[in-house]
């Protein structure tokens, strides 16, 4: 059903990865339906924490809310990681937080670009999406059994040739004007991710929470929020500990949005660019 790796480049990247929690159990594919789908199957059959599923190509890459995730072969990073944190489900969002922070920090360290986080699960640069995170989990009696964190990061894909996407998405090659090493990027993401995960395990989520808010591109902004079939215009005040968006409507009333999507209202942007 799945093509085990038959392209040297990704296998070479995996072979050169420095030791980390995420390089001990690696499942590397040339083509796969979705690394998240495979990682969930592995997690259900008892795979160890830190297991990594990585592919050059997905035939049915998944985004949030049933959307597809598009990526050409052999130019980006597409991977999923299994976590088994000893947390209750109300802390599951902290895994999305550390994934976004690790991606932002790695982009900054490798390319010098200052990317930002867009609630709930996107990494943006120049008001365009450069990475998306899909977090899925299973729980028993409110305790997490596993969390699968899937990351799609546009690295060396020239999106300026994609008329449908070029106004809403970008890649590191488009922003820096030069190819970026996927090995360096992946190794650096893992380095930061492990550090952040250790903070969570030590109960220092306050540090993670603060840093995530520091990198948020939505706090203090006017936004259109799509949630449970409604569209609300409001100001974003903060993100709470569970990842809910705390907003203030035009009457000054505060409320929380647990699940949804958001369009930051920049006066100069067209709807397609938000
Ligand atoms: C989103 O922006 O809605 C989330 C996109 C997540 C895409 C990644 S690519 C690797 C992993 N496998 C998937 O099928 N999805 C995630």
């Amino acid at each position: 059903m799945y093509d085990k790796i038959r392209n040297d480049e990704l296998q070479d990247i995996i072979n050169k990865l420095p030791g980390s929690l995420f390089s001990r159990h690696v499942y590397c594919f040339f083509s796969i339906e979705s690394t998240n789908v495979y990682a969930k199957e592995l997690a259900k059959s008892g795979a160890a924490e830190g297991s990594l599923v990585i592919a050059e190509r997905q035939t049915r890459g998944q985004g949030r809310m049933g959307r597809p995730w598009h990526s050409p072969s052999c130019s980006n990073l597409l991977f999923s990681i299994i976590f088994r944190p000893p947390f209750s489900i109300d802390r599951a969002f902290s895994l999305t937080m550390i994934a976004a922070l690790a991606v932002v920090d790695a982009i900054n360290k490798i390319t010098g670009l200052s990317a930002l986080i867009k609630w709930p699960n996107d990494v943006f640069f120049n008001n365009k999406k450069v990475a998306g995170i899909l977090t899925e989990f299973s729980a028993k009696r409110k305790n997490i059994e596993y969390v699968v964190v899937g990351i799609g990061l546009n690295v060396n894909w020239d999106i300026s040739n994609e008329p449908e996407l070029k106004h809403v998405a970008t890649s590191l090659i488009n922003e820096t004007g030069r190819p970026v090493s996927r090995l360096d990027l992946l190794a650096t993401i893992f380095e930061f991710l492990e550090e952040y995960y250790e903070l969570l395990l030590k109960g220092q989520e306050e540090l993670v929470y603060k840093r995530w808010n520091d990198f948020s591109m939505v706090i203090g902004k006017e936004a259109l929020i799509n949630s449970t079939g409604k569209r609300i215009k409001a100001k974003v005040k903060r993100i709470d500990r569970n990842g809910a968006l705390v907003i203030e409507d035009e009457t000054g009333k505060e409320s929380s949005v647990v699940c949804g999507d958001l369009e930051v209202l920049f006066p100069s942007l067209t709807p397609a660019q938000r």
Side-chain angles (χ1 to χ4, degrees):
M1 182 171 168
Y2 304 121
D3 280 350
K4 273 278 180 197
I5 197 78
R6 57 177 164 79
N7 160 291
D8 291 343
E9 196 184 325
L10 187 60
Q11 188 61 61
D12 198 42
I13 290 175
I14 298 304
N15 294 344
K16 290 183 179 151
L17 274 178
S20 81
L21 171 62
F22 314 112
S23 53
R24 288 179 205 148
H25 307 279
V26 181
Y27 301 79
C28 183
F29 296 91
F30 181 76
S31 181
I32 196 171
E33 178 187 340
S34 148
T35 57
N36 262 45
V37 168
Y38 194 82
K40 282 189 286 179
E41 287 169 14
L42 282 176
K44 277 180 212 148
S45 54
E49 168 152 89
S51 297
L52 168 71
V53 182
I54 186 161
E56 282 292 25
R57 168 173 179 259
Q58 297 183 121
T59 52
R60 215 184 309 170
Q62 300 179 354
R64 275 179 73 245
M65 302 167 116
R67 295 178 192 136
W69 181 258
H70 299 291
S71 169
S73 309
C74 309
S75 41
N76 296 325
L77 285 174
L78 305 166
F79 61 97
S80 305
I81 292 172
I82 298 172
F83 290 90
R84 297 191 181 276
F87 302 160
S88 60
I89 39 173
D90 53 357
R91 289 179 63 196
F93 188 73
S94 60
L95 276 301
T96 308
M97 282 187 167
I98 63 170
L101 280 172
V103 170
V104 163
D105 284 340
I107 290 176
N108 186 278
K109 185 166 171 189
I110 300 298
T111 67
L113 299 173
S114 303
L116 292 172
I117 302 169
K118 182 176 170 233
W119 181 88
N121 66 324
D122 293 336
V123 176
F124 265 57
F125 184 80
N126 260 347
N127 300 319
K128 292 180 185 172
K129 181 160 166 166
V130 67
I133 299 164
L134 178 64
T135 305
E136 300 179 278
F137 63 89
S138 161
K140 230 185 213 151
R141 278 184 237 99
K142 295 210 168 174
N143 290 320
I144 293 176
E145 280 187 310
Y146 66 80
V147 180
V148 166
V149 176
I151 299 179
L153 169 57
N154 299 332
V155 186
N156 292 322
W157 176 22
D158 183 1
I159 297 185
S160 61
N161 287 329
E162 308 285 335
E164 307 259 298
L165 290 171
K166 65 180 183 185
H167 297 298
V168 290
T170 190
S171 67
L172 299 181
I173 197 171
N174 285 144
E175 297 300 333
T176 59
R178 59 186 159 80
V180 174
S181 157
R182 292 190 295 162
L183 168 62
D184 291 350
L185 210 46
L186 195 61
T188 311
I189 291 172
F190 289 170
E191 194 183 306
F192 284 116
L193 192 56
E194 195 164 359
E195 277 174 32
Y196 284 122
Y197 189 47
E198 276 164 17
L199 287 180
L200 291 184
L201 293 177
K202 283 193 275 184
Q204 296 179 341
E205 63 219 60
E206 208 53 35
L207 292 176
V208 169
Y209 172 76
K210 185 178 175 310
R211 194 162 169 79
W212 197 89
N213 273 269
D214 289 345
F215 281 99
S216 167
M217 67 178 271
V218 304
I219 291 173
K221 299 267 168 41
E222 293 289 331
L224 276 178
I225 295 115
N226 301 305
S227 176
T228 55
K230 283 191 224 138
R231 214 152 192 248
I232 318 156
K233 187 174 170 212
K235 185 170 181 175
V236 179
K237 302 292 282 183
R238 61 187 178 280
I239 315 292
D240 76 14
R241 303 286 187 281
N242 302 331
L245 194 70
V246 181
I247 55 171
E248 184 183 83
D249 70 14
E250 279 146 327
T251 68
K253 196 174 135 238
E254 274 194 10
S255 57
S256 302
V257 181
V258 177
C259 168
D261 248 342
L262 163 158
E263 298 165 21
V264 179
L265 292 172
F266 297 102
S268 57
L269 294 185
T270 65
Q273 290 174 307
R274 282 178 203 146

